[in-house]
């Protein structure tokens, strides 16, 4: 159940404000009795909720009287305070991340061969999105079969968003697919291509019959190889991520002549 404490008030502050709503204008002593906030704390509590702009005081009266601000106004003020606090924390965390990004160095030996694998559609997308997000220079994607990656209404949306973010980082993205694959794509793909990907100067999509397998090359240092389901070839079963500059270079060498002979994609 929602409580004023959820918006930042202490137990005593919440009690005092609720009691003021019931009593109307009242003194600190009377409020202490009604709210069961100890007299030794009541003035600190009133000063605190007055700083929140939840109460108004009548300083001309003796003794001083207090009245609660209307609940709708009070809650709006508490909400704005929380939003402001969260925005400040968000900025602080972003500054911390920026600083750490500039200072943290990877201890991973970049030339050492390393591989990992992901099993299941969502896990495959997690791995692919992670590797696209790590790209600094170029992403090459080759597709020979329809997969969820092209379905804008599925988890493949994350892959498309990762590609757009890579383009915004000035990463070159090249997508090569079989011509027959274009006809099998959902109409939403054409819309995304025209509105989100195609306008980027670093994005290029072409088609070629000389395409087999589905894989992604990242920065010419690693390859994400999609493994089809053994019983349903159009479904993704797993993905292998192999970080090996020599192997990635061989795959890129096989890709380049096919890319040069491919036709630009048109919808």
């Amino acid at each position: 159940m929602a409580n004023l404490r959820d918006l930042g008030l202490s137990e005593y502050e919440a009690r005092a404000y609720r009691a003021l709503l019931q009593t109307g204008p009242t003194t600190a002593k009377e409020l202490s009795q009604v709210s069961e906030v100890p007299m030794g704390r009541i003035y600190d509590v009133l000063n605190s909720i007055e700083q929140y702009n939840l109460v108004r005081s009548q300083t001309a009266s003796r003794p001083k009287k207090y009245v609660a601000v209307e609940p709708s106004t009070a809650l709006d003020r508490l909400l704005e305070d929380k939003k402001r606090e969260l925005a400040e924390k968000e900025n602080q965390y972003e500054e911390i991340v920026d600083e750490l990004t500039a200072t943290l160095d990877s201890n991973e030996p970049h030339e050492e061969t390393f591989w990992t694998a992901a099993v299941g559609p969502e896990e495959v997308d997690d791995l692919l999105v992670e590797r696209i997000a790590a790209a600094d220079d170029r992403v090459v994607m080759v597709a020979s079969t329809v997969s969820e990656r092209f379905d804008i209404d599925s988890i493949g949306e994350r892959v498309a968003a990762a590609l757009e973010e890579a383009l915004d980082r000035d990463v070159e993205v090249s997508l090569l697919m079989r011509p027959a694959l274009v006809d099998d794509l959902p109409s939403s793909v054409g819309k995304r291509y025209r509105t989100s990907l195609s306008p980027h100067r670093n994005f290029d999509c072409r088609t070629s019959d000389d395409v087999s397998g589905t894989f992604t090359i990242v920065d010419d240092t690693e390859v994400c190889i999609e493994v089809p389901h053994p019983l349903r070839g159009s479904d993704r079963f797993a993905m292998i991520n192999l970080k090996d500059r020599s192997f990635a270079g061989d795959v890129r060498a096989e890709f380049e002549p096919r890319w040069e002979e491919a036709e630009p994609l048109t919808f």
Side-chain angles (χ1 to χ4, degrees):
M1 182 177 177
N3 191 292
L4 286 170
R5 297 184 66 181
D6 297 329
L7 292 175
L9 296 189
S10 68
E11 179 63 30
Y12 282 167
E13 290 167 347
R15 282 190 202 174
Y17 178 73
R18 287 183 179 275
L20 275 171
L21 290 175
Q22 302 299 320
T23 63
T26 190
T27 65
K29 183 177 181 180
E30 293 168 343
L31 182 63
S32 172
Q33 295 171 347
V34 174
S35 64
E36 297 183 351
V37 175
M39 192 63 197
R41 293 291 313 280
I42 193 64
Y43 286 105
D44 288 340
V45 169
L46 282 168
N47 287 336
S48 178
I49 59 178
E50 196 168 12
Q51 289 178 353
Y52 281 120
N53 294 315
L54 305 186
V55 301
R56 291 180 287 112
S57 60
Q58 189 180 55
T59 55
S61 64
R62 290 292 182 271
K64 186 177 181 179
K65 289 189 174 183
Y66 299 84
V67 65
V69 170
E70 291 75 6
S72 59
T73 301
L75 292 174
D76 284 343
R77 288 172 177 173
L78 288 173
L79 179 59
E80 288 305 313
D81 285 343
K82 275 298 178 185
K83 287 181 177 179
R84 189 160 42 248
E85 180 184 326
L86 291 173
E88 291 174 357
K89 286 185 177 180
E90 181 181 8
N91 291 334
Q92 290 173 359
Y93 287 133
E94 287 176 350
E95 291 173 1
I96 291 171
V97 169
D98 290 341
E99 183 176 345
L100 289 174
T101 299
T103 58
L104 284 177
D105 291 323
S106 172
N107 293 321
E108 181 184 355
H110 295 291
E111 299 302 324
E112 182 177 337
T113 300
F114 178 83
W115 71 272
T116 187
V119 179
E122 189 169 355
E123 290 75 10
V124 165
D125 266 40
D126 286 342
L127 177 58
L128 187 56
V129 165
E130 174 193 304
R131 302 325 304 151
I132 293 174
D136 292 319
D137 300 310
R138 188 177 184 189
V139 172
V140 170
M141 303 186 76
V142 176
S144 61
T145 59
V146 172
S147 69
E148 290 182 44
R149 120 173 12 164
F150 294 107
D151 185 354
I152 197 169
D153 297 323
S154 75
I155 56 178
E157 168 72 8
R158 296 177 55 220
V159 177
L163 288 176
E164 291 180 32
E165 290 174 4
L167 289 166
D168 291 338
R169 297 195 309 272
D170 210 28
V171 174
E172 292 184 12
V173 176
S174 303
L175 173 59
L176 180 63
M177 63 177 70
R178 296 180 64 86
L181 183 62
V182 178
D183 296 332
D184 294 332
L185 298 178
S187 60
S188 57
V189 175
K191 180 179 179 181
R192 172 174 286 277
Y193 173 79
R194 290 189 298 272
T195 61
S196 302
L197 297 175
S198 181
H200 282 275
R201 61 184 176 84
N202 287 333
F203 178 79
D204 195 358
C205 184
R206 303 181 186 181
T207 61
S208 171
D209 285 314
D210 193 12
V211 173
S212 61
T214 298
F215 58 89
T216 300
I217 310 172
V218 179
D219 288 342
D220 292 337
T221 60
E222 58 184 297
V223 185
C224 296
I225 305 170
E226 196 168 290
V227 180
H229 194 284
L231 300 178
R232 300 185 300 276
S234 62
D235 289 347
R236 291 178 299 177
F237 174 72
M239 177 170 286
I240 298 172
N241 173 239
L242 176 61
K243 190 164 188 178
D244 185 320
R245 186 178 294 274
S246 176
F247 177 72
D250 291 342
V251 177
R252 176 70 180 271
E254 291 289 331
F255 165 81
E256 286 298 340
R258 292 169 171 78
W259 178 255
E260 293 300 324
E261 297 175 359
E263 297 292 330
L265 174 64
T266 56
F267 277 93

